[in-house]
Amino acid sequence: AQRVTQPEKLLSVFKGAPVELKCNYSYSGSPELFWYVQYSRQRLQLLLRHISRESIKGFTADLNKGETSFHLKKPFAQEEDSAMYYCALSSMDSSYKLIFGSGTRLLVRP
Amino acid sequence: KAGVTQTPRYLIKTRGQQVTLSCSPISGHRSVSWYQQTPGQGLQFLFEYFSETQRNKGNFPGRFSGRQFSNSRSEMNVSTLELGDSALYLCASSLEGEQYFGPGTRLTVT
């Protein structure tokens, strides 16, 4: 079965602390992995995708096929990082169907 | 470029009624996907349209339907509304594997 698991509903850290948002997936095949972010009162937006291997707003994520994980990391959290983060996967075919995790709320305290 | 727009933004309906939601994708995007977001089930894929054809469908009853027009605008329809259909309905348009989300339509069924 295709599934994305984000084990933490809430992650609270202090400003300047490292952040790791966990994401594990289950998929028979080679999926494409994404992280989406939703800031307060804003629409859902793409943060990064594994095939681009870019660092956005200081966040990085590495696809570990052995552990079927795609954890999101940032070395020094900022207050403006506080948001809802969703991990998602799609199959690498022509269809744009995203399977989302349940989301993790990141709270960065001053 | 203008972002994805959805109308209406808020809607209140009564059980048994039907509702039509509209989505205008980003200019040049030919794929439109729909998602339902609820506190209990999270973000769930409804269906995806590409060049007026449904390319993929999620696990929702037949009361949920959609269509896409030649200008890529899309509508989704829910017939015989149930209380459990209360949700935020998100539309996303896609280009080269990246999905851009609209602000959503908040549907409340009473």
Side-chain angles (χ1 to χ4, degrees):
Chain A
Q2 303 170 7
R3 180 173 294 174
V4 177
T5 302
Q6 294 179 251
E8 304 134 330
K9 283 190 174 181
L10 172 66
L11 184 63
S12 180
V13 301
F14 286 104
K15 177 183 172 181
V19 170
E20 183 179 49
L21 299 171
K22 290 184 168 48
C23 172
N24 288 89
Y25 67 91
S26 168
Y27 188 80
S28 55
S30 295
E32 182 166 9
L33 275 296
F34 303 83
W35 276 98
Y36 281 82
V37 60
Q38 190 166 31
Y39 301 102
S40 179
R41 286 185 289 278
Q42 293 188 28
R43 62 184 67 188
L44 197 62
Q45 57 186 280
L46 178 66
L47 182 61
L48 53 82
R49 59 193 295 192
H50 89 271
I51 63 170
S52 65
R53 302 183 68 81
E54 289 181 335
S55 171
I56 307 295
K57 299 185 179 183
F59 285 97
T60 59
D62 289 319
L63 179 61
N64 186 322
K65 292 184 179 180
E67 295 182 359
T68 59
S69 68
F70 189 56
H71 303 327
L72 183 68
K73 299 177 184 179
K74 186 171 183 176
F76 307 104
Q78 303 299 315
E79 289 180 68
E80 55 266 30
D81 296 329
S82 295
M84 195 73 181
Y85 291 80
Y86 294 95
C87 182
L89 70 78
S90 74
S91 62
M92 297 187 80
D93 59 20
S94 57
S95 169
Y96 295 132
K97 171 185 176 180
L98 284 172
I99 298 170
F100 284 92
S102 54
T104 298
R105 179 167 298 284
L106 175 64
L107 178 61
V108 182
R109 299 180 175 184
Chain B
K1 281 186 178 178
V4 177
T5 58
Q6 293 186 244
T7 57
R9 293 293 311 279
Y10 302 91
L11 207 48
I12 300 176
K13 289 286 188 179
T14 304
R15 268 182 305 175
Q17 289 185 314
Q18 73 149 17
V19 67
T20 299
L21 312 181
S22 181
C23 171
S24 293
I26 294 171
S27 177
H29 289 194
R30 294 165 62 189
S31 168
V32 173
S33 300
W34 289 89
Y35 295 85
Q36 182 195 64
Q37 186 175 26
T38 59
Q41 299 298 317
L43 281 153
Q44 293 186 287
F45 173 79
L46 279 156
F47 26 66
E48 184 224 351
Y49 287 88
F50 182 85
S51 294
E52 302 179 65
T53 300
Q54 188 180 87
R55 193 159 64 172
N56 211 333
K57 189 177 190 306
N59 189 25
F60 278 83
R63 300 185 296 108
F64 291 81
S65 62
R67 59 177 176 168
Q68 187 180 32
F69 302 95
S70 58
N71 61 358
S72 293
R73 191 177 69 85
S74 177
E75 289 181 347
M76 68 163 281
N77 183 276
V78 188
S79 63
T80 320
L81 283 165
E82 301 177 358
L83 294 179
D85 296 334
S86 294
L88 181 67
Y89 290 88
L90 297 175
C91 159
S93 72
S94 307
L95 183 66
E96 297 177 350
E98 295 191 9
Q99 296 201 24
Y100 300 83
F101 284 83
T105 294
R106 171 80 57 191
L107 172 65
T108 302
V109 182
T110 62

